[in-house]
Amino acid sequence: MTPLLIENGRLVDPSQSIDRVARVLVTGGLIAAINPDDGDLPPNVRRIDARGRIVAPGLIDLGTELREPGREEDETIETGGNAALAGGFTTILCAANTYPPIDSPGAVEFVRQKAQRARTCRIHVIACLSRGREGVDMAELGLLAEAGAVGFSDAPRPTSNSALLKKALEYCHMLDLPIYDLPLVPELTGSGVMHEGRVSTILGLQGLPTEAEDLAVTRDLRLAEATGGRLHIGPISTLQGVELIKRAKQRGISISASVWPQTLSSMTDKELESFDARFKVRPPLRNERHIEVCREALIDGTIDCISTGHTPRAREKKVNDLDLAPFGMVSLETTLASINTDMIRSGLLSWPDAITRLSTRPAEIAGVPGGSLKPGSPADIVIIDPDVAWTVRGDEFQSRSNSTPWEGKELFGQATHAIVGGEVRFERHA
Amino acid sequence: MSKTLLEPPSGWNRRHLLGLQDLSVDELRTLLDTAQQLKEATNNCREKLSLLAGKTCANLFFENSTRTRNSFSLAAKRLGADTVEFSSSGSSVAKGETFIDTAKTIEAMGVDWVVTRHQTPGTPHLLARELSCSVLNAGDGPHEHPTQGLLDILTIRQHRGNIDGLTVALVGDIAHSRTARSNIWGLKKLGAHVILCGPSTLVSHRWRELDVEVAYSLDEILPRCDVLNLLRIQFERQTTRPFPSVHEYANLYAMNADRMRRSKSDILIMAPGPINRGVEITPEVADGPHSVILEQVTNGIAVRMAALWLLANAPHNSSSSEPIVH
């Protein structure tokens, strides 16, 4: 493997409190040195000039739907992995909502092998929490862990069965793996398609009330407290949900939480006035009050990290009336840019804080390698051009699906390189 | 015998009629004036004109309808146009085709307007983006039913001469009513005071943000009302029962003889239909002297003739639709 020297870039690595122009030497798939002496450079080193760009640990996504096996019309392990790389993600955790669902060691192995062959980003598996994702009996969590699963979840189905969640949190103590729960009380969401509020009232569209999330967060926090289990709650999208998590953390309950990019964006529920299914996403686009509180919670650390919420759905499924079109959006390739556009360029979030929430914290929560460029760490690196302006065109994505609420919008910032284990797996050519 | 009497009205630039929310006051008046003119020219909508001869109107109804479909059909025929009828049962939609593809197929047969009804809000807006011909919304879920709103307003105007200053109460299932939403936009633009009345599970407090009055007691507001528009309880759209029983609802909200005695002497009683006798209205009120329910039906044809005619004469590059809400 050719050694790499990334030079002249702004190195942002929160794990080492580094934010300065520095050189990074990569050899043998690992970070060899920061600011090495010229005399220490290998003779055949490939130099990457990152002038004007940010060099950071590769981004890590805690929740990507890859849809293979069974729904390859939406996404495959390979296309999803390529989309991740194009978006600056060097590691993703794939959701278990495939067909059949990932509830057996064989299914975990299938994804791991396909991922290995695809040679895109690192792909870890979040396996089912319950058998068949039916929300009744625990899946064979121990065997799934042995097969390589790094966590458990039935998402995007919420764990409605409180007894199941409690038992699984207790059981996972011995496995030391996290459970990811989507906070939602389905009885309250019904057939809702958008944020319940003034706009849904006017449009006559069924609403998704914030209480559906708030009540589930309340329950999840209580069960996490009672069991001491590793629980990750997300995505959070309501101001009450944020308040609950803030208070729980102040009381010392050990939980983590994530937010999806649309909840931090300047898009509100008013986008649904177009009746365009691209804006049918879950959590739904809410109003300014919720957006503001979620942004503040991300800034002050109440919300630990940003996940992409990549939920690809094939075009033929999305081009339909709002009741029939499924929830979903592709977002691996827009998350970095949307956070940059909505949070960093507006001065709300610094680059080190953004990298913390997109890489360092996700690595800690998931317990997977990455999130740091300390010498000896795997050389998973993203190089970002923070200033490039581009217009979102879903048809140009690596992802097999293309429905995005950012379609046609101008965003700033893009990954120019994604390096996995010292190998340049993605390079954007101007 | 068909005849041509009228010149197309000027000042209309829209190619689609998707709702009343985005119409200007002038556009509303143009629609109402044109409907009035056509009603008179066709002898109360009984005679034919040949204003739209050679054109074709497709009725694409993805949801059951009798009166609205027939009304649009008659309106087109009274203006000399041909009609194509489509309903989703037994159609390609039942075989899995999307409604957009169905609409495109019908359009490809050479139609000038698509009149559409669908159970999901926003479907006419989607069609307006996908089709080249004019789209008329004949009801999209609980969102809007513009021609129903217009015919209600036209009926009030015929009896009162003006909308400005009137107090109009919409009573019943506001949450699921497209008629209510179109009425609210149209009536408010023309200067009426609008009261929404019904059980709190069907009349959200959020409506107050639209500068309408929300009331939960029909008896309290009754003495102030010039018009009562009694909306049907749409059980088919409700996932959970919004009130304990039909008996209780009728006791609290049905317009009956006793309530008529406590109303203004010239109160107008309206209902978009179909009416549930004994639920929102008792037979003596529905058939009584204050009821204009059947006039609404006649005005429906006039309004739909006006809409078809205006859209047919809109400039070809005119806007499809303005933003729905601001």
Side-chain angles (χ1 to χ4, degrees):
Chain A
M1 193 181 297
T2 309
L4 299 174
L5 181 70
I6 305 165
E7 50 191 353
N8 302 320
R10 174 183 166 189
L11 178 62
V12 177
D13 182 2
S15 76
Q16 304 180 78
S17 303
I18 296 176
D19 181 6
R20 63 176 186 273
V21 174
R23 299 202 294 177
V24 181
L25 178 65
V26 173
T27 59
L30 303 175
I31 305 294
I34 306 293
N35 281 337
D37 292 334
D38 282 346
D40 293 339
L41 299 180
N44 58 338
V45 70
R46 177 189 166 188
R47 291 169 183 264
I48 297 176
D49 184 1
R51 191 181 304 272
R53 298 183 214 171
I54 289 162
V55 180
L59 310 185
I60 298 173
D61 184 27
L62 294 183
T64 305
E65 289 190 18
L66 288 178
R67 312 290 283 167
E68 183 183 3
R71 291 290 183 269
E72 289 86 351
E73 71 274 19
D74 299 333
E75 194 76 283
T76 66
I77 289 165
E78 185 175 357
T79 59
N82 283 329
L85 291 174
F89 288 85
T90 52
T91 296
I92 57 176
L93 273 57
C94 100
N97 67 331
T98 52
Y99 301 85
I102 306 173
D103 70 345
S104 67
V108 175
E109 187 58 25
F110 170 83
V111 176
R112 283 162 57 87
Q113 283 197 13
K114 290 280 276 190
Q116 211 164 7
R117 273 186 232 147
R119 288 182 59 78
T120 57
C121 63
R122 297 183 201 272
I123 298 176
H124 298 283
V125 177
I126 298 178
C128 289
L129 182 66
S130 66
R131 285 176 196 269
R133 285 181 72 237
E134 289 175 355
V136 181
D137 298 313
M138 257 195 291
E140 293 174 326
L141 305 186
L143 296 178
L144 290 165
E146 273 186 13
V150 299
F152 306 102
S153 178
D154 285 344
R157 198 173 285 169
T159 314
S160 296
N161 184 331
S162 301
L164 169 69
L165 182 59
K166 185 177 181 214
K167 201 163 288 280
L169 281 165
E170 286 166 344
Y171 195 76
C172 280
H173 263 304
M174 67 177 181
L175 304 173
D176 193 27
L177 289 177
I179 289 173
Y180 298 81
D181 191 42
L182 176 108
L184 208 66
V185 175
E187 295 85 354
L188 287 172
T189 56
S191 52
V193 300
M194 68 174 292
H195 171 65
E196 182 179 277
R198 178 181 183 271
V199 181
S200 69
T201 301
I202 292 171
L203 299 179
L205 286 167
Q206 192 80 30
L208 296 161
T210 54
E211 306 88 81
E213 184 174 315
D214 305 336
L215 288 175
V217 170
T218 305
R219 182 206 62 166
D220 283 9
L221 293 171
R222 185 69 193 94
L223 290 178
E225 183 178 25
T227 61
R230 278 176 65 185
L231 183 63
H232 179 84
I233 308 174
I236 297 295
S237 70
T238 68
L239 62 93
Q240 295 90 345
V242 164
E243 281 305 312
L244 289 163
I245 288 167
K246 186 177 283 182
R247 271 186 263 145
K249 285 191 166 180
Q250 284 166 354
R251 283 171 45 220
I253 302 173
S254 176
I255 48 102
S256 58
S258 58
V259 64
W260 285 2
Q262 76 265 29
T263 302
L264 304 169
S265 80
S266 49
M267 287 184 280
T268 68
D269 53 348
K270 285 190 169 188
E271 301 284 349
L272 265 299
E273 290 165 2
S274 65
F275 298 103
D276 191 326
R278 280 197 295 248
F279 300 106
K280 184 178 174 182
V281 293
R282 198 166 58 191
L285 300 172
R286 299 204 185 271
N287 61 30
E288 288 87 351
R289 281 178 66 221
H290 294 283
I291 293 169
E292 193 181 329
V293 171
C294 288
R295 284 178 171 181
E296 284 168 8
L298 184 80
I299 294 162
D300 70 21
T302 301
I303 292 178
D304 299 80
C305 64
I306 301 161
S307 295
T308 66
H310 184 76
T311 46
R313 297 293 182 270
R315 179 179 158 75
E316 64 268 22
K317 298 176 186 173
K318 288 294 271 187
V319 181
N320 217 328
D321 65 83
L322 279 173
D323 280 351
L324 290 178
F327 289 97
M329 59 174 186
V330 292
S331 50
L332 282 167
E333 292 165 81
T334 51
T335 295
L336 176 63
S338 70
I339 298 302
N340 182 33
T341 307
D342 291 317
M343 300 285 291
I344 300 174
R345 287 173 67 92
S346 58
L348 294 172
L349 200 66
S350 66
W351 270 107
D353 284 344
I355 297 301
T356 300
R357 282 147 185 77
L358 282 161
S359 180
T360 314
R361 268 306 275 151
E364 291 167 359
I365 292 164
V368 297
S372 172
L373 299 183
K374 281 182 187 154
S377 305
D380 291 358
I381 304 169
V382 60
I383 304 176
I384 301 162
D385 181 344
D387 299 319
V388 61
W390 59 289
T391 302
V392 177
R393 302 271 179 242
D395 289 340
E396 296 169 2
F397 284 162
Q398 300 286 327
S399 175
R400 184 165 278 188
S401 294
N402 60 17
S403 179
T404 163
W406 280 274
E407 180 72 38
K409 291 185 165 54
E410 185 179 62
L411 295 178
F412 293 88
Q414 253 179 344
T416 62
H417 296 74
I419 298 164
V420 181
E423 185 184 343
V424 180
R425 295 260 174 101
F426 173 80
E427 194 166 358
R428 193 179 300 278
H429 301 285
Chain B
M1 195 177 83
S2 69
K3 53 184 181 181
T4 305
L5 292 171
L6 306 168
E7 288 298 314
S10 57
W12 180 268
N13 291 312
R14 287 177 186 269
R15 208 155 53 82
H16 309 295
L17 180 61
L18 306 180
L20 297 193
Q21 187 182 0
D22 55 336
L23 294 190
S24 68
V25 172
D26 283 347
E27 287 171 324
L28 275 171
R29 290 203 174 113
T30 300
L31 270 160
L32 294 169
D33 293 344
T34 307
Q36 185 65 42
Q37 200 181 5
L38 286 167
K39 185 178 180 184
E40 288 161 11
T42 54
N43 187 21
N44 226 16
C45 302
R46 287 174 178 278
E47 293 178 16
K48 280 182 90 170
L49 300 173
S50 53
L51 295 171
L52 297 176
K55 294 191 178 290
T56 304
C57 176
N59 285 329
L60 262 65
F61 279 59
F62 298 93
E63 192 183 59
N64 289 339
S65 162
T66 305
R67 68 190 63 218
T68 304
R69 172 198 284 273
N70 286 336
S71 183
F72 266 108
S73 228
L74 275 173
K77 286 170 181 163
R78 296 267 151 87
L79 294 178
D82 297 319
T83 59
V84 176
E85 300 295 329
F86 172 89
S87 59
S88 55
S89 60
S91 73
S92 301
V93 172
K95 298 172 191 165
E97 187 174 64
T98 68
F99 84 101
I100 298 170
D101 284 330
T102 302
K104 283 181 172 173
T105 304
I106 300 283
E107 184 191 31
M109 295 177 187
V111 304
D112 300 283
W113 313 268
V114 162
V115 176
T116 180
R117 168 168 288 193
H118 199 285
Q119 65 274 15
T120 306
T123 44
H125 303 70
L126 192 48
L127 288 187
R129 285 198 290 269
E130 296 283 332
L131 304 183
S132 306
C133 66
S134 290
V135 176
L136 281 99
N137 182 5
D140 58 333
H143 178 222
E144 279 231 42
H145 192 356
T147 53
Q148 179 69 47
L150 287 164
L151 73 89
D152 290 345
I153 294 166
L154 180 65
T155 309
I156 299 171
R157 200 175 78 159
Q158 284 167 355
H159 280 267
R160 292 295 152 86
N162 203 353
I163 305 298
D164 193 19
L166 293 178
T167 296
V168 181
L170 307 171
V171 183
D173 189 351
I174 307 298
H176 302 95
S177 175
R178 48 193 170 220
T179 298
R181 285 166 175 83
S182 287
N183 264 270
I184 288 167
W185 300 123
L187 288 166
K188 278 179 53 62
K189 280 175 191 175
L190 296 175
H193 174 66
V194 176
I195 305 175
L196 307 181
C197 181
S200 50
T201 44
L202 293 175
V203 188
S204 162
H205 61 89
R206 290 198 182 93
W207 285 110
R208 291 198 176 101
E209 293 178 43
L210 299 187
D211 199 23
V212 295
E213 184 180 339
V214 170
Y216 300 116
S217 167
L218 176 58
D219 291 317
E220 278 179 19
I221 63 164
L222 202 52
R224 290 192 280 134
C225 294
D226 298 297
V227 180
L228 279 190
N229 200 344
L230 302 164
L231 308 177
R232 185 174 65 87
I233 301 298
Q234 302 196 39
F235 293 106
E236 72 278 12
R237 291 190 194 281
Q238 295 163 5
T239 48
T240 54
R241 204 177 188 128
F243 43 77
S245 69
V246 172
H247 173 72
E248 175 166 315
Y249 178 85
N251 265 285
L252 295 174
Y253 297 105
M255 199 57 193
N256 53 31
D258 178 50
R259 287 197 168 103
M260 283 304 294
R261 281 191 286 278
R262 289 185 273 122
S263 305
K264 284 187 177 181
S265 58
D266 58 351
I267 191 168
L268 283 185
I269 301 295
M270 308 177 76
I275 58 172
N276 290 328
R277 288 173 185 260
V279 180
E280 68 268 1
I281 190 166
T282 56
E284 68 270 25
V285 178
D287 304 328
H290 294 268
S291 169
V292 293
I293 294 171
L294 294 178
E295 286 176 50
Q296 289 174 263
V297 177
T298 306
N299 284 332
I301 298 177
V303 157
R304 283 153 190 145
M305 282 195 283
L308 291 168
W309 193 34
L310 286 167
L311 298 187
N313 286 292
H316 216 66
N317 58 354
S318 53
S319 67
S320 57
S321 157
E322 306 304 318
I324 311 301
V325 187
H326 291 286

